[in-house]
Amino acid sequence: QVELVESGGGLVQAGGSLRLSCAVPERFKRYALGWFRQAPGKEREFVAAISWDGNTASYKNSVRGRFAISRDNAKRTVSLEMNSLKPEDTAVYYCAANVIYTISREYDYWGQGTQVTVSS
């Protein structure tokens, strides 16, 4: 059963921007939310996370300063603004929810993912 639904992926040139969004069920409004990605042949990796109140955020080192995670609990969405995109950012991006704030992959609920492709 899909709990979270991502949107906003696509094809973009290096240096460009994309904004990913994820629709979050009401029951997750006090859950931590995260974005992860998985490139072909690689393990799924943490990208960014945000606490339930939006006061705390964490980022993978390679995206810090280029990506920004935000959430709107009233609209039940979490977003990932991605700037200065690089070919190595190419991956399927997943939205996830977890009762505990963490940067590990141990999230309980996942979306189906949205493809982001960055051309050089």
Side-chain angles (χ1 to χ4, degrees):
Q1 181 180 357
V2 176
E3 297 274 10
L4 304 109
V5 180
E6 303 93 340
S7 62
L11 174 64
V12 63
Q13 289 188 331
S17 299
L18 277 176
R19 182 179 178 88
L20 305 183
S21 292
C22 177
V24 180
E26 172 72 13
R27 69 190 186 97
F28 293 148
K29 66 180 179 181
R30 288 187 178 269
Y31 278 49
L33 299 172
W35 285 97
F36 294 77
R37 67 187 183 188
Q38 187 167 18
K42 295 187 177 181
E43 291 188 348
R44 190 173 299 187
E45 63 178 7
F46 166 79
V47 175
I50 189 165
S51 58
W52 75 269
D53 58 3
N55 288 337
T56 301
S58 302
Y59 296 92
K60 177 181 174 61
N61 285 342
S62 63
V63 308
R64 188 175 291 113
R66 299 189 297 123
F67 291 11
I69 188 171
S70 61
R71 66 188 294 167
D72 186 331
N73 286 340
K75 295 182 178 179
R76 295 186 284 132
T77 59
V78 59
S79 298
L80 185 69
E81 183 74 34
M82 306 186 295
N83 300 309
S84 301
L85 282 161
K86 304 176 181 180
E88 52 263 42
D89 294 319
T90 295
V92 176
Y93 282 71
Y94 298 89
C95 172
N98 198 60
V99 66
I100 297 172
Y101 181 85
T102 177
I103 64 171
S104 77
R105 290 177 292 182
E106 300 301 317
Y107 276 61
D108 290 329
Y109 302 94
W110 294 84
Q112 288 189 319
T114 185
Q115 177 70 47
V116 171
T117 302
V118 184
S119 64
S120 57

